[in-house]
Amino acid sequence: MPESTAKKPSRIQRRNRRVILDAALEVFSKHGYRGATLDQIAAEAGLSKPNILYYFNGKEDIHVTLLSQLMETWLDPLVELDPDGDPRREILDYVERKLTMSRELPRESRLFANEILQGAPRIEPELKRHLKPLFDEKCTVIAGWVAAGKLPPLDPQHLIFSIWATTQHYADFEAQAQILLGPETDPRPRAQAHLQAMFGALLDLPEPSANG
Amino acid sequence: MPESTAKKPSRIQRRNRRVILDAALEVFSKHGYRGATLDQIAAEAGLSKPNILYYFNGKEDIHVTLLSQLMETWLDPLVELDPDGDPRREILDYVERKLTMSRELPRESRLFANEILQGAPRIEPELKRHLKPLFDEKCTVIAGWVAAGKLPPLDPQHLIFSIWATTQHYADFEAQAQILLGPETDPRPRAQAHLQAMFGALLDLPEPSANG
DNA sequence: GTCTATAACGCGATAGAC
DNA sequence: GTCTATCGCGTTATAGAC
């Protein structure tokens, strides 16, 4: 195996690891941790099963690696929320970034949802170490905006929860949306308009006509 | 096994089936379909594994039975949405019913979420047969309210999605909420206030001070 | 580094005594 | 109806040839 003491992971090693992780994301997000098998991951990656286990220490190692890598990408839209920007614009832009992410990275969203749904057994330390401080920081920012009279009175924590819930819904519950709306249409353009109107109303914004 | 031709399932049979289904709900909602084992269900039910299989034809039979039974309860809050009631009151009351349900039946919510997340492989027929018609019916009701000028212009389908997403979030992502808010507090009272304010703003309601 | 073959284990389901 | 014991299968992981 590639030892932790190995100084130089070769180009082919890094490439194969990426191929395996991408295949694993596909399989884990579709079937959950327990429902995924190394056979499926190996087939998806175009590699043999023992070869998978040459690059990773086991099924759980792959899963944890995926979740850890996901963390940074996942927090990024919230990191970008600017304390010095216009409060209502910042929040509505955050909604848009989250919805875009749920369209472009639905597998990541479902991987994350699967893990939380089962009690976050493997990602809990990462959440406490990275998500919690960021969440608290941004809640303080929003509370400051409210205190300064730049926003109407609202609950920062539950506002963020509402944004997460509504935007990730379109990735996590895609199967249900397809049954109810039909498989043809991508619901996200209309979802975008609806969410901008809803959060805009909460933030006491007049109708947003365009946003960037 | 209890044949389909058996005329009279005894009292003890019905009781044991209920005990097994309750245990299975606990285990399936916590670990997902594939992650759950008959051993866990048997231990939770206080019965032996073969005895479980005396009452059900297999693991999948238990799972499908649970999902089917859940369907009715799950749709009930939406069924109650009254076309002849006050539009804004009806929708805000629906939000409250859904939030109450996510507090009182979190296991059912997670069972459902798990199934949808994996593409609804077993519940899809039920969704098409029961959820879809109800969803369409109530969307038409809301669209009628909008057309009649009783509500501001809004998207009925995505309004309902937003209600589902925000209310079920507190059951499905409970692990995340506990990490971010602390395990002591039940977030739902403040969630209730936040959601009433948010959807109230969208529906152009003044601040709701109390609701029944 | 990558493969074939297989060991070790856990799981769903069945057989058969009581 | 309920149990103990066990079968057969699928899955993770390893051994060893190349």
Side-chain angles (χ1 to χ4, degrees):
Chain A
M1 82 182 72
E3 295 288 340
S4 56
T5 57
K7 302 301 182 299
K8 37 173 183 173
S10 72
R11 258 169 249 97
I12 191 170
Q13 276 178 342
R14 297 192 65 82
R15 201 195 80 92
N16 274 348
R17 278 184 68 97
R18 277 194 301 102
V19 168
I20 292 169
L21 286 174
D22 188 71
L25 173 60
E26 185 72 26
V27 178
F28 278 131
S29 69
K30 198 175 289 176
H31 304 290
Y33 176 76
R34 197 62 154 53
T37 69
L38 287 181
D39 277 313
Q40 291 172 306
I41 296 173
E44 185 79 26
L47 296 171
S48 70
K49 190 162 52 172
N51 206 3
I52 301 288
L53 292 168
Y54 170 79
Y55 287 102
F56 290 92
N57 288 326
K59 185 182 181 180
E60 178 156 356
D61 184 23
I62 303 176
H63 194 241
V64 170
T65 302
L66 270 180
L67 288 173
S68 298
Q69 288 192 0
L70 170 57
M71 217 49 203
E72 189 180 355
T73 308
W74 209 237
L75 298 184
D76 196 53
L78 186 53
V79 170
E80 288 182 36
L81 190 135
D82 182 3
D84 298 324
D86 173 66
R88 296 175 295 187
R89 184 81 272 134
E90 285 298 321
I91 291 173
L92 290 183
D93 283 354
Y94 175 54
V95 172
E96 192 193 354
R97 285 196 298 275
K98 282 291 288 181
L99 191 63
T100 299
M101 181 166 282
S102 106
R103 177 181 62 243
E104 294 181 354
L105 303 175
R107 301 180 305 174
E108 283 82 350
S109 186
R110 285 192 280 264
L111 178 74
F112 187 80
N114 254 310
E115 171 69 8
I116 301 297
L117 202 49
Q118 326 229 325
R122 277 170 281 270
I123 211 185
E124 182 178 333
E126 298 264 345
L127 291 181
K128 287 182 171 166
R129 204 171 334 123
H130 297 110
L131 177 59
K132 176 84 163 76
L134 180 65
F135 177 77
D136 290 342
E137 172 199 335
K138 297 304 184 181
C139 281
T140 303
V141 168
I142 295 173
W145 286 338
V146 172
K150 296 177 178 176
L151 288 179
L154 52 79
D155 190 317
Q157 296 174 327
H158 292 273
L159 170 63
I160 293 180
F161 285 171
S162 292
I163 294 172
W164 289 349
T166 49
T167 55
Q168 294 172 7
H169 181 85
Y170 290 94
D172 302 341
F173 287 73
E174 185 186 342
Q176 179 178 244
Q178 284 204 0
I179 290 173
L180 296 180
L181 302 180
E184 329 281 344
T185 56
D186 177 9
R188 246 145 305 207
R190 276 172 56 205
Q192 163 74 355
H194 164 74
L195 294 179
Q196 293 289 321
M198 184 172 75
F199 289 109
L202 175 64
L203 302 175
D204 200 21
L205 257 186
E207 287 292 330
S209 52
N211 52 75
Chain B
M1 81 181 73
E3 297 287 340
S4 56
T5 56
K7 302 300 182 300
K8 36 172 184 173
S10 72
R11 259 170 248 98
I12 191 169
Q13 276 177 343
R14 297 191 64 81
R15 201 195 81 92
N16 274 348
R17 278 183 69 96
R18 278 194 302 101
V19 168
I20 292 169
L21 286 174
D22 188 71
L25 173 60
E26 185 73 26
V27 177
F28 278 131
S29 68
K30 198 176 289 176
H31 304 290
Y33 177 75
R34 199 62 155 55
T37 69
L38 287 182
D39 279 312
Q40 291 173 306
I41 296 173
E44 185 79 26
L47 295 171
S48 70
K49 188 163 54 171
N51 205 2
I52 301 288
L53 293 168
Y54 170 78
Y55 287 103
F56 290 91
N57 288 326
K59 185 182 181 180
E60 180 157 355
D61 183 24
I62 303 177
H63 194 240
V64 171
T65 302
L66 270 179
L67 288 173
S68 298
Q69 289 193 359
L70 171 58
M71 215 50 202
E72 189 181 356
T73 307
W74 208 237
L75 298 185
D76 196 53
L78 187 53
V79 169
E80 289 182 36
L81 190 133
D82 181 5
D84 299 325
D86 173 67
R88 296 174 296 188
R89 183 81 274 136
E90 284 299 320
I91 291 173
L92 290 183
D93 283 354
Y94 175 53
V95 172
E96 192 194 353
R97 286 196 297 273
K98 282 291 289 178
L99 191 63
T100 299
M101 181 166 282
S102 108
R103 178 181 61 242
E104 294 180 353
L105 303 175
R107 302 180 303 177
E108 284 81 350
S109 186
R110 286 192 281 265
L111 177 75
F112 187 80
N114 254 311
E115 172 70 7
I116 302 296
L117 202 48
Q118 324 230 325
R122 277 171 281 270
I123 211 185
E124 183 178 332
E126 298 264 345
L127 291 181
K128 285 181 171 165
R129 204 170 336 122
H130 296 111
L131 176 59
K132 177 85 163 73
L134 180 64
F135 177 77
D136 290 342
E137 172 199 335
K138 298 305 183 180
C139 280
T140 303
V141 168
I142 296 174
W145 287 337
V146 171
K150 295 178 179 176
L151 288 179
L154 53 78
D155 190 318
Q157 296 173 327
H158 291 273
L159 169 64
I160 293 180
F161 285 172
S162 293
I163 294 172
W164 289 349
T166 49
T167 54
Q168 293 171 10
H169 182 84
Y170 290 93
D172 301 342
F173 287 73
E174 184 186 341
Q176 180 177 245
Q178 284 203 359
I179 290 173
L180 296 179
L181 302 179
E184 328 282 343
T185 56
D186 177 9
R188 246 144 303 205
R190 277 173 54 206
Q192 162 74 354
H194 163 74
L195 294 179
Q196 292 291 322
M198 184 172 76
F199 289 107
L202 176 64
L203 303 175
D204 201 22
L205 256 187
E207 285 293 330
S209 52
N211 53 74

